[in-house]
Amino acid sequence: MKSKTKKLSANYMDLVFSKNPGRVWRQKDEGIVEIDMENRGLFNAIAQKFFKRPRVSHIALDKYGSVLWLGLDGENTVNDLLELMQKAFPEEKDKMLNRIVQFLTTLEVHSFIIRNKDK
């Protein structure tokens, strides 16, 4: 079966992302990054009160996400991040672009990262 590869415009590869300064995060001993996410809104308030759900969730990234997160410095373009990831995980080189695009999209949707102007 033929693998799907996303075709991205050159403009996407020139985008620069940085960590949202309003998000608290830490790097754990194993090198894994953990991001705090405050659970807000009516349904979360109900869940916190009646079902003892936490006010803050701790999102632990996997090894790929952690390396990419640490590369989000507000200077690196998506292309720079791709090179960084391919060096860190050479055995996954052919799947890395799709993984990065999906990860950046998810982080941006949940306001973990912000899009800067092009480099």
mmCIF file of all heavy atoms in Angstrom, residues 12-28:
data_model
loop_
_atom_site.group_PDB
_atom_site.id
_atom_site.type_symbol
_atom_site.label_atom_id
_atom_site.label_comp_id
_atom_site.label_asym_id
_atom_site.label_seq_id
_atom_site.Cartn_x
_atom_site.Cartn_y
_atom_site.Cartn_z
ATOM 1 N N TYR A 12 4.218 27.125 4.219
ATOM 2 C CA TYR A 12 4.056 26.429 5.494
ATOM 3 C C TYR A 12 5.420 26.062 6.074
ATOM 4 O O TYR A 12 5.626 26.160 7.278
ATOM 5 C CB TYR A 12 3.191 25.172 5.345
ATOM 6 C CG TYR A 12 2.871 24.554 6.681
ATOM 7 C CD1 TYR A 12 1.819 25.030 7.448
ATOM 8 C CD2 TYR A 12 3.644 23.510 7.192
ATOM 9 C CE1 TYR A 12 1.543 24.493 8.689
ATOM 10 C CE2 TYR A 12 3.367 22.972 8.429
ATOM 11 C CZ TYR A 12 2.313 23.458 9.177
ATOM 12 O OH TYR A 12 2.052 22.922 10.418
ATOM 13 N N MET A 13 6.316 25.664 5.222
ATOM 14 C CA MET A 13 7.640 25.255 5.678
ATOM 15 C C MET A 13 8.442 26.439 6.228
ATOM 16 O O MET A 13 9.400 26.255 6.953
ATOM 17 C CB MET A 13 8.415 24.576 4.553
ATOM 18 C CG MET A 13 7.765 23.302 4.055
ATOM 19 S SD MET A 13 7.472 22.084 5.353
ATOM 20 C CE MET A 13 9.121 21.491 5.611
ATOM 21 N N ASP A 14 8.024 27.667 5.887
ATOM 22 C CA ASP A 14 8.697 28.871 6.383
ATOM 23 C C ASP A 14 8.049 29.445 7.642
ATOM 24 O O ASP A 14 8.545 30.423 8.196
ATOM 25 C CB ASP A 14 8.710 29.959 5.301
ATOM 26 C CG ASP A 14 9.601 29.591 4.131
ATOM 27 O OD1 ASP A 14 10.552 28.812 4.337
ATOM 28 O OD2 ASP A 14 9.340 30.078 3.011
ATOM 29 N N LEU A 15 6.952 28.842 8.087
ATOM 30 C CA LEU A 15 6.291 29.341 9.293
ATOM 31 C C LEU A 15 7.171 29.119 10.516
ATOM 32 O O LEU A 15 7.930 28.147 10.586
ATOM 33 C CB LEU A 15 4.955 28.632 9.510
ATOM 34 C CG LEU A 15 3.833 28.980 8.550
ATOM 35 C CD1 LEU A 15 2.600 28.137 8.863
ATOM 36 C CD2 LEU A 15 3.496 30.452 8.629
ATOM 37 N N VAL A 16 7.036 30.016 11.476
ATOM 38 C CA VAL A 16 7.774 29.922 12.726
ATOM 39 C C VAL A 16 6.749 29.870 13.855
ATOM 40 O O VAL A 16 5.841 30.696 13.915
ATOM 41 C CB VAL A 16 8.702 31.148 12.918
ATOM 42 C CG1 VAL A 16 9.398 31.088 14.258
ATOM 43 C CG2 VAL A 16 9.714 31.218 11.785
ATOM 44 N N PHE A 17 6.898 28.890 14.719
ATOM 45 C CA PHE A 17 6.015 28.741 15.874
ATOM 46 C C PHE A 17 6.828 28.935 17.150
ATOM 47 O O PHE A 17 8.026 28.670 17.176
ATOM 48 C CB PHE A 17 5.392 27.340 15.904
ATOM 49 C CG PHE A 17 4.427 27.081 14.789
ATOM 50 C CD1 PHE A 17 4.834 26.460 13.618
ATOM 51 C CD2 PHE A 17 3.098 27.450 14.903
ATOM 52 C CE1 PHE A 17 3.946 26.208 12.592
ATOM 53 C CE2 PHE A 17 2.194 27.203 13.886
ATOM 54 C CZ PHE A 17 2.623 26.583 12.727
ATOM 55 N N SER A 18 6.160 29.371 18.189
ATOM 56 C CA SER A 18 6.812 29.447 19.499
ATOM 57 C C SER A 18 5.834 28.970 20.550
ATOM 58 O O SER A 18 4.618 28.933 20.337
ATOM 59 C CB SER A 18 7.294 30.870 19.793
ATOM 60 O OG SER A 18 6.216 31.770 19.796
ATOM 61 N N LYS A 19 6.372 28.605 21.687
ATOM 62 C CA LYS A 19 5.547 28.140 22.802
ATOM 63 C C LYS A 19 4.686 29.299 23.306
ATOM 64 O O LYS A 19 5.141 30.432 23.370
ATOM 65 C CB LYS A 19 6.436 27.633 23.937
ATOM 66 C CG LYS A 19 7.323 26.486 23.548
ATOM 67 C CD LYS A 19 8.297 26.181 24.689
ATOM 68 C CE LYS A 19 9.410 25.298 24.239
ATOM 69 N NZ LYS A 19 10.541 26.003 23.651
ATOM 70 N N ASN A 20 3.475 28.994 23.671
ATOM 71 C CA ASN A 20 2.591 29.998 24.257
ATOM 72 C C ASN A 20 3.131 30.345 25.643
ATOM 73 O O ASN A 20 3.223 29.467 26.503
ATOM 74 C CB ASN A 20 1.169 29.449 24.352
ATOM 75 C CG ASN A 20 0.173 30.454 24.864
ATOM 76 O OD1 ASN A 20 0.529 31.454 25.471
ATOM 77 N ND2 ASN A 20 -1.090 30.182 24.611
ATOM 78 N N PRO A 21 3.494 31.601 25.879
ATOM 79 C CA PRO A 21 4.075 31.951 27.185
ATOM 80 C C PRO A 21 3.077 31.807 28.336
ATOM 81 O O PRO A 21 3.479 31.758 29.497
ATOM 82 C CB PRO A 21 4.510 33.410 27.013
ATOM 83 C CG PRO A 21 3.779 33.915 25.829
ATOM 84 C CD PRO A 21 3.450 32.739 24.972
ATOM 85 N N GLY A 22 1.793 31.677 28.022
ATOM 86 C CA GLY A 22 0.790 31.504 29.063
ATOM 87 C C GLY A 22 0.652 30.064 29.537
ATOM 88 O O GLY A 22 -0.124 29.786 30.454
ATOM 89 N N ARG A 23 1.383 29.160 28.931
ATOM 90 C CA ARG A 23 1.320 27.737 29.314
ATOM 91 C C ARG A 23 2.510 27.371 30.175
ATOM 92 O O ARG A 23 3.658 27.650 29.844
ATOM 93 C CB ARG A 23 1.325 26.838 28.078
ATOM 94 C CG ARG A 23 0.147 27.001 27.184
ATOM 95 C CD ARG A 23 -1.072 26.395 27.808
ATOM 96 N NE ARG A 23 -2.183 26.493 26.867
ATOM 97 C CZ ARG A 23 -3.346 25.943 27.068
ATOM 98 N NH1 ARG A 23 -3.573 25.265 28.162
ATOM 99 N NH2 ARG A 23 -4.292 26.082 26.182
ATOM 100 N N VAL A 24 2.220 26.719 31.274
ATOM 101 C CA VAL A 24 3.269 26.231 32.163
ATOM 102 C C VAL A 24 3.692 24.854 31.664
ATOM 103 O O VAL A 24 2.850 24.011 31.348
ATOM 104 C CB VAL A 24 2.745 26.124 33.619
ATOM 105 C CG1 VAL A 24 3.797 25.542 34.538
ATOM 106 C CG2 VAL A 24 2.283 27.491 34.102
ATOM 107 N N TRP A 25 5.008 24.643 31.584
ATOM 108 C CA TRP A 25 5.504 23.339 31.157
ATOM 109 C C TRP A 25 6.809 23.040 31.879
ATOM 110 O O TRP A 25 7.443 23.917 32.445
ATOM 111 C CB TRP A 25 5.700 23.284 29.640
ATOM 112 C CG TRP A 25 6.764 24.187 29.109
ATOM 113 C CD1 TRP A 25 6.646 25.519 28.834
ATOM 114 C CD2 TRP A 25 8.122 23.841 28.811
ATOM 115 N NE1 TRP A 25 7.832 26.019 28.376
ATOM 116 C CE2 TRP A 25 8.764 25.004 28.354
ATOM 117 C CE3 TRP A 25 8.858 22.656 28.894
ATOM 118 C CZ2 TRP A 25 10.093 25.021 27.970
ATOM 119 C CZ3 TRP A 25 10.182 22.678 28.502
ATOM 120 C CH2 TRP A 25 10.787 23.841 28.045
ATOM 121 N N ARG A 26 7.187 21.786 31.871
ATOM 122 C CA ARG A 26 8.437 21.350 32.513
ATOM 123 C C ARG A 26 8.985 20.153 31.759
ATOM 124 O O ARG A 26 8.239 19.441 31.089
ATOM 125 C CB ARG A 26 8.189 21.004 33.978
ATOM 126 C CG ARG A 26 7.380 19.751 34.208
ATOM 127 C CD ARG A 26 6.813 19.620 35.609
ATOM 128 N NE ARG A 26 5.857 20.626 35.993
ATOM 129 C CZ ARG A 26 4.590 20.726 35.572
ATOM 130 N NH1 ARG A 26 4.147 19.847 34.710
ATOM 131 N NH2 ARG A 26 3.792 21.662 35.990
ATOM 132 N N GLN A 27 10.286 19.981 31.894
ATOM 133 C CA GLN A 27 10.922 18.797 31.326
ATOM 134 C C GLN A 27 11.238 17.861 32.475
ATOM 135 O O GLN A 27 11.943 18.224 33.411
ATOM 136 C CB GLN A 27 12.192 19.164 30.567
ATOM 137 C CG GLN A 27 12.769 18.016 29.802
ATOM 138 C CD GLN A 27 13.918 18.438 28.896
ATOM 139 O OE1 GLN A 27 14.354 19.578 28.919
ATOM 140 N NE2 GLN A 27 14.403 17.503 28.102
ATOM 141 N N LYS A 28 10.689 16.659 32.415
ATOM 142 C CA LYS A 28 10.886 15.682 33.478
ATOM 143 C C LYS A 28 12.266 15.027 33.346
ATOM 144 O O LYS A 28 12.960 15.229 32.353
ATOM 145 C CB LYS A 28 9.771 14.644 33.420
ATOM 146 C CG LYS A 28 8.389 15.282 33.663
ATOM 147 C CD LYS A 28 7.288 14.314 33.386
ATOM 148 C CE LYS A 28 6.920 13.655 34.694
ATOM 149 N NZ LYS A 28 5.816 12.703 34.539
#
